[in-house]
Amino acid sequence: MSTTAPRGFSAAGVAAGLKSSGDPDVAVVLNHGPDDAAAAVFTTNRFPAAPVLWSRQVLAGQRLRAVVLNSGGANACTGPEGFQDAHATAEHAAAALGVGAIDVAVASTGLIGVRLPMDKLTAGVTAAVGALSEDGGPDAARAIMTTDSVPKTTVQSRESWTVGGMAKGAGMLAPSLATMLVVLTTDAVVDASALGPALKQATSVSFERVDSDGCLSTNDTVVVMASGASGVTPSAEELTDALTAACTDLAMQLLADAEGSTKDIAISVRNAASVEDALTAGRACARNNLLKTALFGNDPNWGRVLAAIGTTDAAFEPEQVDVTINGVTVCRGGAIGDPREGVDLTGRAITIDVDLKAGPEQATIWTNDLSIAYVHENSAYST
Amino acid sequence: MSTTAPRGFSAAGVAAGLKSSGDPDVAVVLNHGPDDAAAAVFTTNRFPAAPVLWSRQVLAGQRLRAVVLNSGGANACTGPEGFQDAHATAEHAAAALGVGAIDVAVASTGLIGVRLPMDKLTAGVTAAVGALSEDGGPDAARAIMTTDSVPKTTVQSRESWTVGGMAKGAGMLAPSLATMLVVLTTDAVVDASALGPALKQATSVSFERVDSDGCLSTNDTVVVMASGASGVTPSAEELTDALTAACTDLAMQLLADAEGSTKDIAISVRNAASVEDALTAGRACARNNLLKTALFGNDPNWGRVLAAIGTTDAAFEPEQVDVTINGVTVCRGGAIGDPREGVDLTGRAITIDVDLKAGPEQATIWTNDLSIAYVHENSAYST
C-alpha cells in the first residue's frame, strides 16, 4: 500500500508523456490531515535541482499538504527558467487541490540539463489529482521509476499507527543520498519540530550508508508527511525507530536494484577508533573500482581492500588489520591469512568484515559491484 | 634506448618464470658512475609493499647503484616474510654486482597478497646481471610490463646530457601515483640533495595529475639515478625541466595504455581560486563513474560534470560555472548552453574545460573513460 497505508493519505500515478515509453511518470501524494506536519532531507550537492530549491523553501515551514513527483526529466541545471517551471508545477497542483502553492513540494528525476515539457507535465498533474485514491500508493510508486526494474514500497505497522513509503533510485546512490526520491507518510500525531530530527536520524543510518557508485545526485529528496489521522502520539524513540525501519527497508531495495549490479556488498568495519573512521574506511572500499570489479568477477581480492583503506586517515596499525570475506579470514595482521580459494562468492550477498583493532566503534556501508551492465546502462542513458 | 640512453648505465630484462606466460619479468638497471646520486618518490598508501619499505631505507642515503624490478608478483601485504624476500633480493643482486645491498633498490608489481617464488626470482636476477648491456634499456622496459600492451620509454636530450626512463602501469593510476614503476636515469652531474626536490616537482605535475581510476597502489615507485658521466652540471631549473618532460612523456603513455580505456580525457579547471581548488574539482570529475561511463558512450553529459564538482568544496558560484566539452560550451552559467548535439566525441582525445570564474589559477587532471573492457580486465585479473 506504500504511501497510502497510513490513514489520511491519497495518491495517484499517471502517464503524462514525459517518458517516451508511455509509462506512468507523474505522481501526487496528498495529506488529508487533520495534521500537516512535514520534514525533508535534500541533496548536499552544490548544484541542487530546481525542484530541490523550491521544496527547500516549502519545507522551511515544516508543513506540507502534497508532493508532486515526476520522472522523465530532472529539471536540474536549468537555470532560473527551470526554477519557474518547478514553481509553476506547484502552483498548478495547488490550484487543482485547493491549497496554497507553499503547501506543495516538487521532486523530479531523469536527465540533467533539459527543460521539462510543461504542457505535458501540468496536464499530468491535473490527471493525477483527478485520480487520487486511498489505494493509489502503488500507482504513485510506479510513476516515479526511472531505470528501476521494480517499484519500491514499505509499510511499517505499529500498534494503531503506521509508516508507509515509496522510493525510486537504481544508481547514483551516495553517502549523502542520491538520485533517490523518497516519500514517507505516517498517520501518527507528530509535532512538526520532532519530525525533522527523527527523519535525519533515520536517513543517517540507512540511505546515507548506501554508496552504490559514489556519485551524488542533484535531486535527492526524502520527504515525510504526518497526517495525525490515527490519533496516536508515539514517543520520539518510537517514531525514529519506525522511520528508520522504513528507510532501511527502502535502502536495501534500492541496493538490490542498483543499475546493472550482480552483488549486494556489506562492508562492516569493526573495532574502529570512531564511527567516522569506520565510515571512512567502509566508503573507501565502496568507492574502489578495482575492488568492485574483482567482486563482480567472484574474486576475493583482499589486497584491494587493504589498498583502499590504506588511502584513508582512519586510525589503525597496518600490521594489525584483519579482513574476512564471506566468513573466511583471508588477511590476518595485514598479511596473508587463510586460503582465498575457500571464499564462496557465487551468491549475490557478500560480507566484507574489516577489523581495524583500533577502538570500540563499528559501522556498515552497503554497496554494489562494478559490472559490465553498470557501464552499459550508464553509457547509454541519455543517447 | 630508455634508461640506457644516458651515459653510465647498463640494463637488462630476462624471463625468470614469474609470469605464467613466459614473458620477461625481471629487470636490472645499473649505474656505473662515476656518481651515484639518487632520489625516489613512493606510494602514500598506508599498506606499502615490502619492496617499498626496503627501497625507502635504501634511498634515505640519497645514493643508489642499481634497481632490481620484477613483474609477476607485487610482494605486497606479505608481512615480515615478504620484507625478508625483498631484502634477500637486494642481497642477491648486490653480491652478483659486487656492491652493497644498501646500494640496491627493489620494485615489484603484480598480484597483492602472494609470496614471490624466490628461487625463480634470484635465478632471474643472476641471469639479468649477466645480461647487463649499454643497449639493455628496451629489454628492461619490456620485463616490467604487466597488463601494459606496450613498453613505455622516454629520452629527453639536452645539450651534452640526457634523461632517459621507463615506466610500467596500465591501471591503478591515481593522484599519488599508482601501480606504476618508473626508473629515470641521467648522466648529468647532480648533487644528491638537489635531485629529490627536482623529482618531486616533476612528479607533482605529471604522474600525480593522472587519475585513471582513482585507485592508489601499494607499490608505486619512481626512482631517478644520476651517473654524472656527461661531466655536465645543469642548473636546478634545467634539471627539473628535463625530469618534468620525461615524467610527462611517460605519464601520457600510461594514460594512453590504461586498462580497457577508449578515451584520454583532459579535465582543465580554469579561473579557480587556487591550484588546489582546480585539482579538487578536476579529480572529482576524474573519479565520477557516471561521467566516465557517459564519455565511454560518446555522451557529452555535462550535468554529470556539474554533479561531480558540486560535491567539492572548491570556491565557485554554481550559477557562474561554464563547461566546454571538445570546444562546445554545453553549459553556461550553471545552466543549459549550446546544444550538446554539436559535441563530437568520436575520437580518443576529449577535453573538458570547466570555468569556475573564481580566481586566477588553473590545473589539468588527466583520466580515462570507464569502459566495459576496464571492468572485464579488472574482474578477471587474478582468477
Side-chain angles (χ1 to χ4, degrees):
Chain A
M1 285 297 288
S2 173
T3 47
T4 49
R7 282 155 286 182
F9 293 93
S10 61
V14 300
L18 304 178
K19 286 177 179 166
S20 54
S21 64
D23 288 336
D25 46 23
V26 172
V28 173
V29 181
L30 177 65
N31 179 0
H32 294 268
D35 298 344
D36 60 358
V41 175
F42 298 103
T43 182
T44 58
N45 197 296
R46 291 171 65 195
F47 289 96
V52 170
L53 293 172
W54 169 258
S55 298
R56 265 191 200 150
Q57 294 184 8
V58 169
L59 268 300
Q62 302 185 334
R63 305 270 155 204
L64 196 63
R65 291 298 305 277
V67 186
V68 177
L69 308 97
N70 75 273
S71 50
N75 193 11
C77 305
T78 43
E81 296 82 2
F83 185 80
Q84 287 301 326
D85 291 343
H87 185 183
T89 304
E91 291 277 7
H92 185 88
L97 292 165
V99 301
I102 198 64
D103 299 319
V104 179
V106 178
S108 301
T109 179
L111 190 62
I112 302 177
V114 178
R115 294 279 301 279
L116 289 170
M118 286 302 291
D119 50 344
K120 290 181 181 175
L121 177 56
T122 51
V125 170
T126 301
V129 169
L132 282 169
S133 151
E134 288 182 8
D135 304 320
D139 288 346
R142 268 189 294 276
I144 60 174
M145 292 166 64
T146 56
T147 54
D148 305 64
S149 68
V150 290
K152 285 100 180 167
T153 65
T154 189
V155 177
Q156 304 295 326
S157 298
R158 296 294 181 267
E159 203 166 332
S160 308
W161 62 284
T162 302
V163 170
M166 67 177 183
K168 100 22 79 164
M172 291 183 84
L173 305 178
S176 307
L177 314 180
T179 289
M180 192 181 80
L181 303 183
V182 179
V183 178
L184 300 168
T185 53
T186 181
D187 49 15
V189 178
V190 185
D191 190 76
S193 64
L195 199 52
L199 179 65
K200 200 159 181 55
Q201 170 61 20
T203 57
S204 71
V205 296
S206 55
F207 299 121
E208 293 191 23
R209 294 195 181 176
V210 172
D211 191 339
S212 177
D213 69 1
C215 300
L216 173 63
S217 155
T218 52
N219 288 59
D220 303 325
T221 301
V222 181
V223 176
V224 59
M225 297 188 285
S227 70
S230 70
V232 178
T233 307
S235 70
E237 189 182 344
E238 289 169 332
L239 177 69
T240 300
D241 284 353
L243 289 178
T244 301
C247 288
T248 302
D249 184 17
L250 291 171
M252 292 302 118
Q253 293 179 52
L254 293 171
L255 190 72
D257 197 30
E259 282 169 0
S261 67
T262 74
K263 308 285 184 192
D264 295 339
I265 304 162
I267 302 158
S268 291
V269 180
R270 293 192 296 126
N271 297 321
S274 66
V275 170
E276 196 45 56
D277 269 11
L279 292 172
T280 298
R283 284 201 178 111
C285 294
R287 295 181 174 188
N288 188 286
N289 282 350
L290 288 171
L291 175 60
K292 289 156 72 91
T293 49
L295 295 173
F296 168 62
N298 293 339
D299 173 11
N301 197 323
W302 57 268
R304 293 178 180 177
V305 175
L306 294 193
I309 68 172
T311 63
T312 72
D313 59 2
F316 63 80
E317 295 300 324
E319 65 276 13
Q320 294 195 346
V321 175
D322 294 347
V323 178
T324 301
I325 303 180
N326 277 6
V328 180
T329 303
V330 284
C331 169
R332 198 170 271 122
I336 304 165
D338 298 337
R340 65 172 80 201
E341 292 72 21
V343 182
D344 179 5
L345 293 178
T346 53
R348 186 171 171 96
I350 295 178
T351 301
I352 298 177
D353 180 288
V354 179
D355 188 343
L356 295 182
K357 298 181 191 164
E361 301 294 344
Q362 77 86 33
T364 298
I365 291 282
W366 289 274
T367 190
N368 296 109
D369 57 335
L370 176 53
S371 69
I372 285 173
Y374 173 91
V375 175
H376 182 76
E377 285 199 33
N378 284 295
S379 62
Y381 185 56
S382 83
T383 49
Chain B
M1 286 296 290
S2 173
T3 48
T4 49
R7 283 156 285 182
F9 294 92
S10 61
V14 300
L18 304 179
K19 286 177 178 166
S20 54
S21 65
D23 288 336
D25 44 24
V26 172
V28 172
V29 181
L30 177 64
N31 179 0
H32 294 268
D35 299 342
D36 59 359
V41 176
F42 297 104
T43 180
T44 57
N45 197 296
R46 290 171 66 195
F47 289 95
V52 170
L53 293 172
W54 169 259
S55 299
R56 264 191 201 150
Q57 293 184 10
V58 169
L59 267 300
Q62 301 185 335
R63 305 270 157 204
L64 196 62
R65 291 298 305 278
V67 185
V68 177
L69 309 97
N70 75 274
S71 51
N75 194 10
C77 306
T78 44
E81 295 83 2
F83 184 80
Q84 288 301 328
D85 291 343
H87 184 183
T89 303
E91 290 278 6
H92 185 88
L97 293 165
V99 301
I102 198 64
D103 299 319
V104 180
V106 178
S108 300
T109 178
L111 190 61
I112 303 176
V114 179
R115 295 278 302 278
L116 290 170
M118 286 301 292
D119 51 343
K120 290 182 182 176
L121 177 56
T122 52
V125 170
T126 302
V129 169
L132 282 169
S133 153
E134 289 183 8
D135 303 322
D139 287 346
R142 267 189 295 275
I144 59 173
M145 292 166 64
T146 55
T147 53
D148 306 63
S149 68
V150 291
K152 286 99 180 168
T153 65
T154 188
V155 177
Q156 304 294 327
S157 300
R158 297 293 181 268
E159 203 167 331
S160 310
W161 63 284
T162 302
V163 170
M166 66 177 183
K168 94 29 77 166
M172 293 184 81
L173 305 178
S176 306
L177 313 178
T179 287
M180 188 180 83
L181 303 183
V182 178
V183 178
L184 299 168
T185 53
T186 180
D187 50 16
V189 178
V190 185
D191 189 76
S193 65
L195 200 51
L199 179 65
K200 202 160 178 54
Q201 170 61 20
T203 57
S204 71
V205 296
S206 56
F207 298 121
E208 294 192 22
R209 294 195 180 176
V210 172
D211 191 338
S212 176
D213 68 2
C215 300
L216 173 63
S217 156
T218 53
N219 289 58
D220 303 325
T221 302
V222 181
V223 176
V224 59
M225 297 189 284
S227 71
S230 71
V232 178
T233 306
S235 70
E237 188 181 345
E238 289 168 333
L239 177 68
T240 301
D241 283 353
L243 288 178
T244 301
C247 289
T248 302
D249 185 15
L250 291 172
M252 292 302 119
Q253 292 179 54
L254 292 172
L255 190 72
D257 196 29
E259 283 170 358
S261 68
T262 74
K263 307 286 185 192
D264 295 339
I265 305 162
I267 303 158
S268 292
V269 180
R270 293 191 297 126
N271 297 320
S274 66
V275 171
E276 196 46 53
D277 268 13
L279 291 172
T280 298
R283 284 201 178 112
C285 294
R287 295 181 174 189
N288 189 287
N289 282 349
L290 288 171
L291 175 60
K292 288 156 74 91
T293 49
L295 295 173
F296 168 63
N298 292 340
D299 173 12
N301 197 324
W302 58 268
R304 294 179 178 177
V305 175
L306 294 193
I309 68 172
T311 65
T312 73
D313 59 1
F316 63 79
E317 295 300 324
E319 65 276 11
Q320 294 194 347
V321 174
D322 293 348
V323 178
T324 301
I325 303 179
N326 277 4
V328 180
T329 302
V330 283
C331 168
R332 199 170 270 123
I336 304 164
D338 297 337
R340 65 173 79 201
E341 291 73 21
V343 182
D344 180 4
L345 293 180
T346 53
R348 185 171 172 96
I350 295 178
T351 300
I352 298 178
D353 180 289
V354 179
D355 189 343
L356 295 182
K357 298 181 190 163
E361 302 295 343
Q362 77 88 32
T364 299
I365 291 282
W366 289 274
T367 191
N368 296 109
D369 57 336
L370 176 53
S371 68
I372 285 173
Y374 173 90
V375 176
H376 183 74
E377 285 199 34
N378 284 296
S379 61
Y381 185 54
S382 81
T383 52

